[in-house]
Amino acid sequence: MLYSQLFASALRSFPGGELPTAVEALIENSFALSRTRFWIVRDQPVRDAAGLRRFRLRLRRLLAGEPLAYILKEKEFYGETFCVSPAVLVPRPETELLVEKALGLLGREEARVLDIGSGSGAIAVVLALRSRAAVTALERSRPARAVLRRNVARFGLQERVRVLAGDLFPRGNGPFRMIVANPPYLSRRDWRQAPPTLRRYEPREALLAGPRGTEVLARIIAGAPARLAPRGWLLLEIGHGQHRAVQGFLKRAGLKEIDCVKDYAGIERVVVAQKD
Ligand SMILES: C[S@@+](CC[C@H](N)C(=O)[O-])C[C@H]1O[C@@H](n2cnc3c(N)ncnc32)[C@H](O)[C@@H]1O
């Protein structure tokens, strides 16, 4: 069998859809081929039996609906490759909008930043890499913190990113120039209606906030003013249809909304607020 035939037959096994990029990534990863090398060997026979076994096993997992990132144990975010495991949410492209906004506000400032619910550390690591900020990465889940620490070490950021355990806010830390969070924001109903593969593979505590979905956002907003420096910023990723509720929480907390970024689907996704 040629690599190109392996590729084509794998694609045929996806009913109703094609996942050429995922299958290509699986082949490259299973046979330890670079993208260029894969294109070079496309019309050569597959001789690597161990690679073929690895590929077939992984393909079965992909067919069962497991996210490619968990199979490959890595995911690209903001141009960097992060370790992931089922203990952490797979970083999403929408979250890059939050990072972009945060980097624009931070500029070259040596600011202190708090990332609440850091998960894999995607936000915290990119902020540390692309700005002069010192980041506190707070995460409640112990297995997620292990992945977070691995990523901090992978980028050699132990001096710039401090990993902490806690429930939303660190004790006795701050004030912060900026607080960022992509918290759980699904309601019970959203969770029930979410694709079965998401419910089956991604950590529930990373996604489900409570009956309404805005519970964690409300707690973060209420607690932020006491941890923010004067004129400090709060950047939050929010769910579909939550903007109005979030505006109410911000008003109650005395924070001023200064921007709201829409995602690629035109949904209000990142809210930026500032303390007076
Ligand atoms: C939606 S995920 C975001 C992960 C990562 N920041 C990202 O954007 O890919 C939310 C994260 O918040 C963590 N989390 C949930 N509730 C928390 C709490 N009360 N305190 C701290 N972390 C919490 C979850 O374990 C999860 O890792």
Side-chain angles (χ1 to χ4, degrees), residues 125 128-129 149-161:
V125 163
L129 285 175
R149 284 205 182 86
R150 209 176 317 145
N151 280 317
V152 170
R154 182 180 186 140
F155 291 95
L157 286 170
Q158 293 91 332
E159 302 289 312
R160 301 268 313 286
V161 179

Side-chain angles (χ1 to χ4, degrees), residues 195-207:
T197 52
L198 182 134
R199 288 207 311 268
R200 181 153 163 221
Y201 292 102
E202 303 221 45
R204 181 185 159 112
E205 61 280 12
L207 291 159

Side-chain angles (χ1 to χ4, degrees), residues 89 91 95 117-119 123 138-141 166-168 182-184 205-206:
L89 184 92
T95 310
S118 208
I123 300 175
L138 185 124
E139 173 55 56
R140 185 172 62 177
S141 144
D167 180 10
L168 297 189
N182 171 20
E205 61 280 12

